[in-house]
Amino acid sequence: MTDENVRPPVDEDAVRLYGEEFDQRPKDFFQRMRSEHGPVVPVLLEGDIPAWYVIGYREVNHVTGNPGMFARDTRRWNAWDMVPENWPLLPFVGWNPSVLLAEGEEHQRRSAAISDALDAVDRTELGNGCERIADELIDGFAGAGEADLISQFADRLPPLVMAKLFGVPDAEVPDMIRDIQYVAGSDENAIPAHQRLQEMTRRLAEARRSRPGPDVTSRLLEHPANYSVDDLVNDLLIMMSAGHLPTGHWIGNALRLMLVDEQFAVTLQGGRGSVVQALNQVLWEDTPSQNNIGRFAVHSCELAGRKVRPGDMLILGWAAANADPQVQPTAHGAGAGNRAHLSFGHGDHGCPFPAPELAEVIARTAVEVLLDRLPDIELAVKPDELLWLPSFWVRRLAALPVTFSPAAASHRG
């Protein structure tokens, strides 16, 4: 922290970045923020902690594309003295030696190793593994004629895939799923859940150092980047969390849109080739990746007419930027082939290659198998009865209850 950093004042027009509208009706929230405040909004996080919410597409690109002006290391923040010990957003804001918060050469070293380890994943084997897991999950409810596609399918498939990719023991998977969801909920369960996840990834890294296997964890430990166990603990947690929740709710949000929007359903059910286009459209209209904390101003500057002080926090509004009228496709379905969204981030701290490609394999396979197995799925409640779970990070449904004609087990699991 430099001498010019001072505790940020609370803007008299600051908007609280939490509450029912933020959780349940984000598109209305974004529209109101844009009309009242423009592309950069003074906001208050829980505990009335001030920050800037960047919701303009051009402004988000500017911030993420200028690491020398807007840096990633959270130790630069000028409001740490306002943060209570049990602050629910702390797990993703507190500094730790991870790729997420590293800068310069250290970030390049880690991100290159992660890209190499992920790129070694065989896409065909990944798709086949996803298909087996999807069939096993569907077999668990196909005969009942009803299911909750969130808790019984979308919430479970990606972490089961992640466990196989990273070498997580089967016995640890249920606790991993629970704790990642707790962290995303940003409530009183977040901090203890984050601590348990760190302990889990440490056990995994130490086990793979002693007994390497054909998994991402072992490849990182063997990489020329010289990963230590301590290095790997937080990076494993980041990778598995990013592979779990955003991918799972990419699946869930696509299935919801299919069930409540007839035009979208036609696109999604038009054949296997249309699933990728439909999933891309979801990233524009209902991306699971909502916000990111963020960047921290290195120097005094102006951003969209706002005076940003050294150490000020900037929250990157991925979903809000995707909804920017300057870039949002106006015609229904016009965004299906447009991949200029920010749902995988942007800049040197964007989602590293080939993680978006692997996530798409998982999401596409999940939707394809479900449509093949249960082609007559219908929503079991009225669309306006569907609720979104509170989360600063992820756009995720509480449940997606459906009915369908009972089907036999696949025997392919």
Side-chain angles (χ1 to χ4, degrees):
M1 186 177 293
T2 65
D3 291 339
E4 56 180 336
N5 281 336
V6 294
R7 182 172 177 167
V10 175
D11 193 292
E12 61 180 12
D13 295 326
V15 178
R16 283 176 168 76
L17 206 57
Y18 52 90
E20 183 181 2
E21 185 182 26
F22 179 73
D23 290 326
Q24 302 297 328
R25 302 183 302 281
K27 292 180 182 178
D28 294 341
F29 183 83
F30 301 151
Q31 184 176 4
R32 183 166 65 85
M33 292 303 95
R34 209 180 309 276
S35 64
E36 294 179 1
H37 300 276
V40 179
V41 185
V43 295
L44 296 174
L45 300 172
E46 289 195 50
D48 287 347
I49 299 173
W52 298 107
Y53 192 29
V54 187
I55 63 174
Y57 185 91
R58 181 173 59 183
E59 287 73 20
V60 169
N61 274 273
H62 176 70
V63 170
T64 55
N66 288 277
M69 185 177 296
F70 304 102
R72 192 65 188 89
D73 192 326
T74 61
R75 291 175 295 186
R76 299 176 185 273
W77 193 16
N78 57 19
W80 273 117
D81 64 332
M82 303 176 71
V83 177
E85 291 184 2
N86 61 346
W87 196 46
L89 297 179
L90 197 58
F92 286 106
V93 182
W95 186 84
N96 58 69
S98 70
V99 67
L100 191 67
L101 304 181
E103 299 175 358
E105 292 183 1
E106 176 65 8
H107 178 262
Q108 293 172 10
R109 175 181 75 89
R110 289 173 180 251
S111 61
I114 289 170
S115 292
D116 290 343
L118 292 176
D119 199 28
V121 174
D122 184 282
R123 281 34 164 202
T124 301
E125 289 184 9
L126 175 62
N128 291 338
C130 291
E131 188 167 342
R132 286 193 296 272
I133 292 172
D135 272 322
E136 290 172 358
L137 293 174
I138 295 168
D139 283 348
F141 58 76
E146 60 181 15
D148 171 16
L149 293 182
I150 299 300
S151 65
Q152 294 178 266
F153 189 68
D155 258 354
R156 297 184 62 194
L157 189 147
L160 291 171
V161 175
M162 291 298 107
K164 298 294 184 185
L165 288 180
F166 287 85
V168 178
D170 291 345
E172 302 235 29
V173 175
D175 287 346
M176 180 187 77
I177 294 173
R178 177 203 63 204
D179 286 337
I180 288 177
Q181 291 173 343
Y182 276 157
V183 171
S186 303
D187 58 18
E188 67 276 4
N189 295 306
I191 292 177
H194 187 260
Q195 293 169 344
R196 290 192 296 268
L197 287 167
Q198 286 183 311
E199 293 166 2
M200 184 271 290
T201 54
R202 179 171 293 279
R203 290 193 299 270
L204 173 61
E206 290 175 344
R208 284 295 172 264
R209 181 177 59 178
S210 302
R211 299 182 301 280
D215 51 63
V216 172
T217 305
S218 299
R219 288 195 288 271
L220 284 170
L221 287 167
E222 295 166 352
H223 195 275
N226 295 319
Y227 256 102
S228 67
V229 168
D230 288 340
D231 286 339
L232 202 53
V233 167
N234 287 295
D235 286 3
L236 284 175
L237 176 52
I238 290 165
M239 287 187 283
M240 286 190 282
S241 298
H244 173 180
L245 286 174
T247 307
H249 293 286
W250 190 9
I251 296 167
N253 293 358
L255 294 173
R256 171 197 162 273
L257 203 53
M258 177 189 75
L259 293 166
V260 304
D261 188 313
E262 291 184 2
Q263 287 182 293
F264 185 84
V266 170
T267 301
L268 195 58
Q269 293 178 329
R272 284 180 177 263
S274 68
V275 171
V276 171
Q277 290 184 331
L279 287 168
N280 189 63
Q281 186 174 333
V282 171
L283 295 180
W284 279 108
E285 297 191 15
D286 230 345
T287 180
S289 302
Q290 294 286 292
N291 304 296
N292 175 251
I293 300 179
R295 299 293 187 272
F296 300 86
V298 178
H299 310 291
S300 297
C301 63
E302 281 200 6
L303 183 65
R306 300 289 189 177
K307 293 182 178 180
V308 178
R309 297 166 292 272
D312 277 4
M313 173 192 285
L314 293 98
I315 299 165
L316 305 175
W318 306 129
N322 286 346
D324 190 329
Q326 294 188 35
V327 298
Q328 175 63 219
T330 53
H332 186 98
N338 183 344
R339 292 179 177 262
H341 57 73
L342 297 174
S343 296
F344 293 113
H346 181 264
D348 59 351
H349 274 84
C351 200
F353 171 85
E357 179 185 325
L358 302 181
E360 185 177 284
V361 170
I362 297 169
R364 186 195 72 232
T365 304
V367 174
E368 288 176 348
V369 172
L370 188 72
L371 294 179
D372 283 348
R373 294 283 306 277
L374 306 173
D376 64 345
I377 288 178
E378 293 184 357
L379 194 61
V381 297
K382 295 179 180 178
D384 59 7
E385 294 179 30
L386 296 174
L387 295 177
W388 301 93
L389 289 172
S391 176
F392 184 85
W393 316 102
V394 184
R395 177 77 164 157
R396 55 185 187 145
L397 283 169
L400 186 61
V402 296
T403 58
F404 47 85
S405 299
S410 69
H411 305 296
R412 292 184 295 182

